[in-house]
Amino acid sequence: MELVHSQLNTSQKRLDVFDWLYAALIVVAAVVAEQQYGQYMDIYEHSILIGSTLGLIALGWFWKSWRWFFPLTGALALAAIALYAGDINQGQSRFFLRYLLSSQSAIMWMCTLFFLAMAVFWAALFSRSAFLEQFATGLTWAASVMGLTGLFVRWDESYLISPDIGHIPVSNLYEVFVLFCLITALMYLYYAERVATRRMGAFVLPIICAAVGFILWYTFDRQAHEIQPLIPALQSWWMKIHVPTNFIGYGAFAIAAMLGIAERLVSRGVLADRLPSADIMEEVMYRAIAVGFLFFTIATILGAMWAADAWGGYWSWDPKETWALIVWLNYAAWLHVRLVKGWRGAVLSWWAIIGLFVTTFAFIGVNMFLSGLHSYGAL
Amino acid sequence: MKTPTRSTVFWASLFDLLSSMRFAIGLLTILAIASVIGTVLQQNQPYPNYVIEFGQFWFTVFEWLGLFDVYHSAWFLILLAFLVLSTSLCIWRNTPGFLKEMRGWREHASERSLAAMSHTALLQGTGTPETVQAYLTSQGFAIKTAQREDGSTMVVGKRGAGNKLGYFFAHIALVVICIGGLMDGNLPLKIGELVGTIRPETRDIPQGQVPAESRLSTSNLSFRGNVTIPENSSADVVFLNAGRGYLVQDLPFIITLKKFRVEYYPTGMPKLFASDIVITDKASGKTREETVKVNHPVHVDGVAIYQASFGDGGSPLALTAWNLAAPAMGPIKVEGRSMNQQPLIANGKPYSLEFGELRVFNIQDMRDNSTVAVNKTFNELLSQAQSVQHEKNLANAGPTIQFKLRDNQGQAFEYHTYMSPLVLEGRSYIVTGVRKEVGQPFSYLRLPLDQEGSLQSFMRLYATLHDTSLYPEIARRAAAKALAGSSISPEMQQQFQFSVEFVLNRFHEGGFRALDEFVQARVPADKQAEVGQTYIKILQAVVVDMMEIAHQRAGLAPFQLNENNYRFLLDSLVAAGILVRDYGSPVFLQLSGFEQVQATGLQLTRSPGKNVVYFGSLILVLGILCMFYIREVRVWVRLGAQDTRLAVSSNRKNRDLEQDFARHQARLLEIVQGKA
């Protein structure tokens, strides 16, 4: 892979002791999970477990920061599970659960930390302070840790409410918005390390904070954070892979659009001496769209395969499916003009920005304005 | 040499256009925009709905444009066909060049062309081909070495040929997916309809009477149809939507529904929909038992059976009917079947009783809605946001039946009746909703039940209200009581009796609303409230006399007035006020029993193109992976007598290439200067 390639040449040959320790940890965790819960899993879920194990090891080897990030969230989630001790009501009485580790507390921490990170990123931009940039990056990491921990704990909480209600927290609009914030932040953190500049944060964080704003409204006004059981159409292992894959796509497209804005500003001389060069942002934009396109393609195919099991046909021209196709066609055209025609600059940036609107409509607009089979995430 | 004729020029330029990038991009854009239409306009609705929504003129225009089924309209399919054509021509056009490039090494590239490359360097010193070969091999390159005429040696390395392969994969995938989709599409049916061999049936007739030109045989390769099967019934066909009508698809097997199962979570959300079915093969007579669940289709002979919907399969109902024109008569038993209609004669007039759906569970959140979101302190909100579980007050309101009563003019009222009594503050009521038009919400009335849990007492009272010949006697008793209680003077007695009769007559005509309308129309504005209050007081007083008379007439023990009974009378008054005017039916039907028969809605599909589409999807992903993440890199090392030329090229000129070049240059410099 292009992204992996330079790593292949340089670092992968030298897997250090931490790589192996990390891999061993993941394998041990998978074995424990298999022993504890294997009896409840079907063949597909076993495959997903094996796939996740390999995927997580690969991710840790590929992106070194993942090696501490993931075990840390795992440890926090396990701490929360231990504190719950099988009783959901502990969440209101135990101090650490109530104020830090219960899923809602963790997610609220994530929200707060993302807002802080955005503020500090902008402060860093105007004060040209490398320290503040580093601090903002730290805040973004902390927010991501809390977000992933929150999702893990929420997963457990759903089982604590009742075993037949339990499910992976990617089943409604509230849960996937948390996932969106998390994935977008992590992808940004990866690119920031990859191209060795943290200054794009000032532009990526606002889109995350917009999603955070939605989460807060959805929580306080609509009580959408309540865990709901799964309706029959969603009771499928496909959900475990279809939804997260889709959100890698959405997150990547969001980053691309925000970099498109930054690129437009820089090329007009606005903040030009404070942001990375237009070339770097353009390249990251391309990479984000490429990875987003790949995952979005896979997600759409997985969605089609799920639809074939659930709705009786792999393609029903349901509004959500059709908008997924529109998004796909849009970025396919974008990639063609860049790779084949060799276009760069203004048009592609604007196109990426408009692309985000198309994507957002496919993501939320369809649920709000159009009716169809895919109405699980209705507002 | 051939001179190009006009026609070859034409074909050549058409080929150029169709295989060109801008045509492909244009097509992608148009396809995206066209796809929007079908998401904005609900597809495949019954045609009359569209006429109502858009009017006859636009309906005709939209129908002509195929907008009610965009994705199967001719122009949309033509767009897709052009996409396939454009992609195929693009592959056709690029294949020779790409293959040549993949195979070629360009080991004879001239020094000048190497020097003109963007990443090139002339290094001082030279080395042996072997060391260079070893280095490039270690870096994952395939290598070729050539002696050149000028005596120098050229070592060429290349890596990442998969990139070009990715191009083929991704583009062939698109064609494969479209072919798979076409196999599952309804193109053959469309052609059949055009040619006239297939004609959709538009009449609502029994399935067995559908003529042969509206039937599809079991040899039909691809279909997607629906069928509804009640419990203990069978089906051996499915129905396919076809524009204004439908087609009947014969199946090679018979499906019998033994039982349909629904389970609910405590919140009232559905947890499981499952159909226990028996499949009997028509040819062999073999049977197999299966369970179809949502997300778990059953596959038989290449046909997939899905759980698509469910409903009431026609449940036998037992009803208690009260004749509202003669309420004292007592109830009679009526039998019916949900989802069916039957004649009903009431007071000599014919009606049609049309039963809708029987719903056995009606789980409702009994929380007072006003407490949900408003008037919360910040702390309350915060603590609510902290918990993923909320208190609810859920209750099952029990079975309901919906039905319409249609008179011989075709006018109908629709009713929604709860079987179980609603208990409020210790009192029980029968709740029924009524509405005149389908789109409106039901307005609900509550008929109070007596201590025996029957409507008998209420109906006895209602009969008294209904018998206007009793009004003078009621008025006389009321006046006598009022006189005894010194509420009125003897001179007013006559006037009072008259008022009572007037109020009763008005109330009998149209309930509280009729009284209110009278007050609004006839009484001066400043007196309206006072007069209205007086009327209500009169009613609240005479209802006791009415009940006493009712008891007398029924030969019952004299009516005892106490607080509890008086509440009952007031509730009755409210209910009677609605029954006389807004109920619309000559009979009051109460659901007293049922035997649930459910029906399952199954979707059956045969899609031979499915695996083709999946295969196409697989190579699409492989193709995208190869295209984006395999970088094609080529390295030329020309070892001259004194110097070494290094040139590096890649299909992507980005930071990775810079890094690669710098690294190769550094390593090669070590090699040629003998430091390696």
Side-chain angles (χ1 to χ4, degrees), chain A residues 216-266:
Chain A
L216 293 177
W217 169 78
Y218 215 36
T219 304
F220 286 102
D221 195 64
R222 299 291 184 91
Q223 282 84 48
H225 58 281
E226 199 182 339
I227 292 177
Q228 299 282 0
L230 285 186
I231 57 167
L234 290 179
Q235 293 166 9
S236 170
W237 54 271
W238 283 108
M239 188 173 78
K240 294 187 170 89
I241 50 178
H242 167 62
V243 180
T245 316
N246 230 323
F247 277 83
I248 296 176
Y250 288 151
F253 294 152
I255 289 179
M258 297 315 283
L259 291 178
I261 296 174
E263 194 270 347
R264 280 295 75 215
L265 289 175
V266 167

Side-chain angles (χ1 to χ4, degrees), chain A residues 4 23 56 80 91 163 178 190 215 253 280 304 357 371:
Chain A
V4 182
L56 283 170
V178 178
Y190 168 76
I215 291 174
F253 294 152
I280 287 186
F357 284 99
S371 63

Side-chain angles (χ1 to χ4, degrees), chain A residues 37-268:
Chain A
Y37 305 109
Q39 48 180 322
Y40 305 112
M41 298 193 234
D42 63 18
I43 172 81
Y44 301 104
E45 284 159 331
H46 283 295
S47 320
I48 292 174
L49 179 64
I50 295 168
S52 319
T53 309
L54 297 176
L56 283 170
I57 292 174
L59 190 55
W61 286 357
F62 165 60
W63 182 22
K64 302 301 180 190
S65 303
W66 187 264
R67 291 176 313 180
W68 65 262
F69 171 79
F70 189 74
L72 176 61
T73 57
L76 286 173
L78 286 174
I81 292 168
L83 284 171
Y84 268 119
D87 176 15
I88 183 78
N89 297 315
Q90 297 290 337
Q92 293 299 309
S93 48
R94 294 209 174 207
F95 180 83
F96 277 109
L97 286 178
R98 188 171 160 90
Y99 295 106
L100 190 66
L101 290 179
S102 77
S103 71
Q104 274 310 107
S105 300
I107 288 168
M108 290 302 131
W109 273 111
M110 176 197 86
C111 295
T112 314
L113 288 166
F114 272 138
F115 274 125
L116 280 175
M118 179 172 72
V120 178
F121 264 124
W122 279 95
L125 197 66
F126 284 104
S127 65
R128 298 172 198 264
S129 157
F131 168 74
L132 283 181
E133 256 174 25
Q134 206 167 351
F135 182 51
T137 305
L139 286 171
T140 312
W141 273 113
S144 307
V145 168
M146 292 317 282
L148 188 57
T149 304
L151 285 181
F152 281 148
V153 176
R154 189 178 169 90
W155 197 345
D156 185 62
E157 284 169 353
S158 69
Y159 279 91
L160 291 181
I161 290 174
S162 168
D164 65 348
I165 287 178
H167 58 268
I168 185 171
V170 292
S171 72
N172 63 25
L173 212 50
Y174 176 79
E175 291 164 350
V176 297
F177 257 91
V178 178
L179 187 69
F180 172 80
C181 292
L182 185 64
I183 287 179
T184 312
L186 287 172
M187 289 182 91
Y188 158 71
L189 288 168
Y190 168 76
Y191 283 124
E193 280 179 24
R194 181 90 171 79
V195 298
T197 173
R198 302 193 181 103
R199 293 183 188 166
M200 300 177 299
F203 279 84
V204 176
L205 262 294
I207 190 86
I208 297 176
C209 287
V212 166
F214 178 87
I215 291 174
L216 293 177
W217 169 78
Y218 215 36
T219 304
F220 286 102
D221 195 64
R222 299 291 184 91
Q223 282 84 48
H225 58 281
E226 199 182 339
I227 292 177
Q228 299 282 0
L230 285 186
I231 57 167
L234 290 179
Q235 293 166 9
S236 170
W237 54 271
W238 283 108
M239 188 173 78
K240 294 187 170 89
I241 50 178
H242 167 62
V243 180
T245 316
N246 230 323
F247 277 83
I248 296 176
Y250 288 151
F253 294 152
I255 289 179
M258 297 315 283
L259 291 178
I261 296 174
E263 194 270 347
R264 280 295 75 215
L265 289 175
V266 167
S267 64
R268 284 176 195 187

